Amino acid sequence: MARHLGTMTQHPIPDPIHSVPEGIEQLLEIMKRLRDPKGGCPWDIEQDFATISPYTIEEAYEVDDAITRGDMADLKSELGDLLFQSVFQAQIAADKGLFDFHDVAKAISDKMISRHPHVFGDESNQKSPEQQTLDWEREKAAERKRRGETRVLDGVAMGLPALMRAQKLQKRAARVGFDWPDVSHVIDKIREEAAELVEARESKTQADVAEEFGDLLFVMVNLGRHLGVDAEESLRSCNAKFTRRFNAIEDGLAAKGKTPQDSDLEEMDALWDAVKAAEKTAR
């Protein structure tokens, strides 16, 4: 987003755009100008769906990061950046004669109305959250069928983070009965996969090791699902904990006039254990 702000600073937006009411219509007009072959921004003009997609994913993660940090000012900014990505993709589609932003807004509005008959239709709004979830999933299944997605796993996005996609694939399969009856069976499977990984490491190729490691990860995600733990969020939290504790190790070493490169595993382990104990005491 900083690149776009810099571009707009160097090439002030003409008065006709300023005359557009503030808000979404102004943003749509700005995007249209940026993509205009006559006088638009060369970088914006040459983009397509594929080249913009990584930015869209990045902005979604930055929204999540702002929420995690509780920074509401940053959240407002990041939500704007994410909205801009939707506007950008819609403008690319409009330039190709496919659809425009208003079509996108109409489609999601229709979808939300269709999926909430207890709010917008004649159905009772006294349904439990559990029943509403079942109704939601049933409507989504009907939508997939209308799109021609006939297989159980059709429609689970390929671009999702691997842990998140694994969980969604497992959840979809579980809906049709392909699931372990209880968590003990999952734990047994973890032991089996761990043993196969050890065997592959001892006597097989690196490709076999990678395959068995993937199998073990997949079963671990399944264990999280059975325990009600979101694998992606759990690992993200673990990453944050590791970063926090390792930073504390660096601080501890710095207090002694040292860096990790000047230290050894025994000293860093001792600092790690001290940080871990301090965190438990503070709980």
Side-chain angles (χ1 to χ4, degrees):
M1 288 306 299
R3 193 202 62 75
H4 286 96
L5 293 177
T7 301
M8 292 164 62
T9 300
Q10 296 168 12
H11 305 284
I13 299 172
D15 286 340
I17 287 183
H18 285 297
S19 67
V20 176
E22 291 186 5
I24 189 62
E25 292 298 334
Q26 184 182 35
L27 181 58
L28 292 173
E29 189 62 30
I30 289 170
M31 187 69 255
K32 186 176 180 180
R33 282 294 308 277
L34 288 172
R35 290 273 298 174
D36 189 345
K38 298 179 180 179
C41 170
W43 188 91
D44 292 273
I45 293 169
E46 71 178 11
Q47 301 311 306
D48 58 28
F49 295 124
T51 61
I52 289 298
S53 182
Y55 296 100
T56 306
I57 295 170
E58 179 182 343
E59 296 298 354
Y61 278 115
E62 290 181 1
V63 166
D64 181 75
D65 180 63
I67 292 171
T68 300
R69 291 183 285 104
D71 189 333
M72 294 300 102
D74 195 32
L75 177 59
K76 180 177 71 172
S77 174
E78 296 299 346
L79 285 172
D81 291 347
L82 184 58
L83 174 61
F84 182 80
Q85 293 299 310
S86 294
V87 168
F88 204 145
Q89 296 279 15
Q91 185 61 49
I92 294 173
D95 294 340
K96 295 177 177 294
L98 302 173
F99 56 83
D100 62 17
F101 182 83
H102 295 291
D103 295 322
V104 173
K106 179 66 166 58
I108 187 60
S109 296
D110 291 345
K111 182 186 292 185
M112 290 301 101
I113 291 171
S114 173
R115 290 186 179 177
H116 294 83
H118 54 290
V119 176
F120 301 106
D122 297 329
E123 291 188 13
S124 168
N125 61 2
Q126 301 302 314
K127 293 183 178 180
S128 68
E130 293 76 16
Q131 184 58 51
Q132 290 175 19
T133 299
L134 289 174
D135 291 346
W136 177 279
E137 294 295 345
R138 186 161 44 248
E139 177 59 29
K140 286 175 65 176
E143 290 174 6
R144 288 194 294 269
K145 187 174 181 179
R146 289 194 292 271
R147 291 196 298 266
E149 297 173 2
T150 58
R151 294 183 179 273
V152 172
L153 302 182
D154 283 351
V156 180
M158 293 291 295
L160 291 172
L163 290 179
M164 186 182 298
R165 187 164 193 269
Q167 189 157 305
K168 286 183 176 293
L169 289 170
Q170 294 164 5
K171 183 179 178 182
R172 188 77 69 81
R175 289 181 197 154
V176 296
F178 191 73
D179 197 10
W180 282 289
D182 59 65
V183 72
S184 66
H185 291 77
V186 188
I187 294 174
D188 288 342
K189 187 64 175 178
I190 289 173
R191 294 192 183 99
E192 176 187 328
E193 294 296 351
E196 291 180 1
L197 176 58
V198 171
E199 179 186 347
R201 182 173 177 269
E202 293 174 347
S203 60
K204 297 185 179 180
T205 67
Q206 186 61 27
D208 292 323
V209 171
E211 180 179 352
E212 295 299 342
F213 182 75
D215 290 347
L216 182 57
L217 277 179
F218 193 82
V219 181
M220 287 300 299
V221 172
N222 227 328
L223 176 61
R225 185 176 60 85
H226 276 262
L227 295 174
V229 174
D230 183 285
E232 189 76 25
E233 182 58 36
S234 180
L235 184 57
R236 188 181 305 169
S237 177
C238 187
N239 289 340
K241 179 172 64 177
F242 179 85
T243 301
R244 181 178 67 249
R245 290 179 178 176
F246 192 83
N247 287 344
I249 290 175
E250 286 189 296
D251 293 341
L253 291 172
K256 301 177 183 180
K258 301 173 70 174
T259 68
Q261 290 81 1
D262 305 322
S263 183
D264 56 29
L265 180 59
E266 183 178 359
E267 183 179 25
M268 287 190 284
D269 261 344
L271 288 168
W272 177 279
D273 290 340
V275 173
K276 183 177 178 180
E279 288 182 350
K280 288 185 176 179
T281 301
R283 288 177 183 173

